[in-house]
Amino acid sequence: FADALLMVMRAAGYTDKDVVGNCSVSSASVYNAPAYAACAFKKALEKGLPVKGDAARPITRSEVAKLVSALNLVGAPKNIDVLDPYVDLQGVDATEKVAIAGVIESGVMIGQVKAIGSTFEPSGDLTRASLAVILDKLFAKEEAAAPK
């Protein structure tokens, strides 16, 4: 979780000065944040980002979608119906659904798309390779939006 949080925050424009180092933050220690990620956890908590649980555990696909959404790296979805093909979102709350719809609509994350019964696997662990693809798509979006 800690590494993914750092990388997504960097994609949102936070600098190493903002998110790297040992900030000696007692609240970050509650999350078992490693020393190198204490500043990221402090900043995330200050900003009200969806950070919970043990920082040493894997991050889920839904948690990444919520971070990407909370950091405004994708816009709000124009149409929540983009979730209709996904059959595994029954236990997902409304805020989570909006975040997932935003990343799907923007093309940053899509899940396993099938003709019938697509899945997003919201509680599935996100691999480092998947995070790299997501970050690449976020940077490509930013590059495409930059004035030329």
Side-chain angles (χ1 to χ4, degrees):
F1 190 99
D3 292 333
L5 175 65
L6 277 167
M7 288 184 235
V8 172
M9 290 181 79
R10 283 181 174 139
Y14 287 90
T15 65
D16 282 351
K17 181 180 166 231
D18 297 322
V19 296
V20 175
N22 187 350
C23 290
S24 301
V25 184
S26 61
S27 58
S29 67
V30 171
Y31 294 94
N32 195 25
Y36 69 86
C39 292
F41 271 80
K42 177 183 178 190
K43 186 67 75 173
L45 292 166
E46 289 171 356
K47 296 285 183 188
L49 296 177
V51 177
K52 62 181 179 182
D54 186 347
R57 69 178 171 76
I59 193 165
T60 67
R61 295 176 52 77
S62 177
E63 288 171 324
V64 169
K66 289 189 291 187
L67 280 174
V68 166
S69 177
L71 288 165
N72 298 313
L73 293 169
V74 296
K78 293 178 181 68
N79 191 347
I80 200 82
D81 293 346
V82 71
L83 299 179
D84 288 350
Y86 294 88
V87 297
D88 61 344
L89 300 176
Q90 301 85 349
V92 176
D93 68 40
T95 304
E96 221 170 333
K97 282 185 179 178
V98 168
I100 293 169
V103 295
I104 289 172
E105 192 175 83
S106 69
V108 171
M109 295 174 76
I110 58 169
Q112 299 297 317
V113 179
K114 302 173 188 164
I116 298 174
S118 297
T119 57
F120 186 80
E121 300 176 10
S123 59
D125 293 343
L126 190 79
T127 65
R128 287 183 177 146
S130 293
L131 182 59
V133 170
I134 291 165
L135 293 171
D136 185 57
K137 289 179 180 181
L138 289 170
F139 289 128
K141 264 179 61 79
E142 184 179 306
E143 210 172 88
K148 303 197 184 214

